[in-house]
Structure formats: structure tokens, C-alpha cells
Amino acid sequence: MVVKEVVISNQVGLHARPATFFIQKSNEFKSSIWVEKDERRANAKSLLGVLSLGIVKGTRISIIADGADEDEAVATLAALIDSNFTE
């Protein structure tokens, strides 16, 4: 299991379009991936789950992955967040 903490810095947070990019990228990996905010955890491959966390600009979240490609999954998703969702 790999865990990485990141801070959301894009203007709208992890909502609508950025969340869609995040979920599409998450679905490219075989590992189970979760997003954790405070004490709540959601499946990173579920749009409804991610949106339900209400992640806004400045929020600190943890990306958690468990599986064959967990290192790559966490690194890729953290890089996507750090890039403010520009690919």
C-alpha cells in the first residue's frame, strides 16, 4: 500500500471537470485507489464518491493505492494534481 498527501491548488478544487480527469486517470490502473479527506475515504474511480468529499482549493487529501501498479498510480495522480489538471 502506498499513501501520498497532496494539496489541491487549482481554482475549483476536485469538482466536475478536474474530478473527471482524476477518475479517468485512476481507471488506467489495476490497483485499488482511494482519496481520503479528513476521516472520509472514497473510491478514486467513482465520480460520485470523489465529488461527495467536497474537495475545494487548499484541501489536503491523501491518495492511497494498493495493488500491482500502486507506486505508479500514486505518482501519476499526484503529478496530475500538482499540474493543476493540465495534461
Side-chain angles (χ1 to χ4, degrees), residues 2-6 61-65 74-75 78-79 82:
V2 176
V3 179
K4 180 164 178 133
E5 204 170 88
V6 293
I61 64 168
S62 294
I63 301 170
I64 305 158
V74 169
D82 290 341

Side-chain angles (χ1 to χ4, degrees), residues 20-82:
T20 301
F21 288 147
F22 187 83
I23 285 134
Q24 287 172 341
K25 190 60 75 178
S26 295
N27 277 301
E28 293 177 10
F29 298 98
K30 291 185 170 109
S31 294
S32 296
I33 307 169
W34 301 274
V35 177
E36 191 171 78
K37 174 190 165 201
D38 301 326
E39 297 298 313
R40 296 178 56 214
R41 185 182 280 194
N43 183 343
K45 298 179 180 184
S46 163
L47 182 60
L48 190 58
V50 172
L51 292 177
S52 73
L53 295 176
I55 300 168
V56 296
K57 182 178 180 179
T59 301
R60 184 175 300 275
I61 64 168
S62 294
I63 301 170
I64 305 158
D66 189 21
D69 51 4
E70 60 191 23
D71 291 313
E72 184 185 357
V74 169
T76 300
L77 294 171
L80 179 64
I81 289 170
D82 290 341

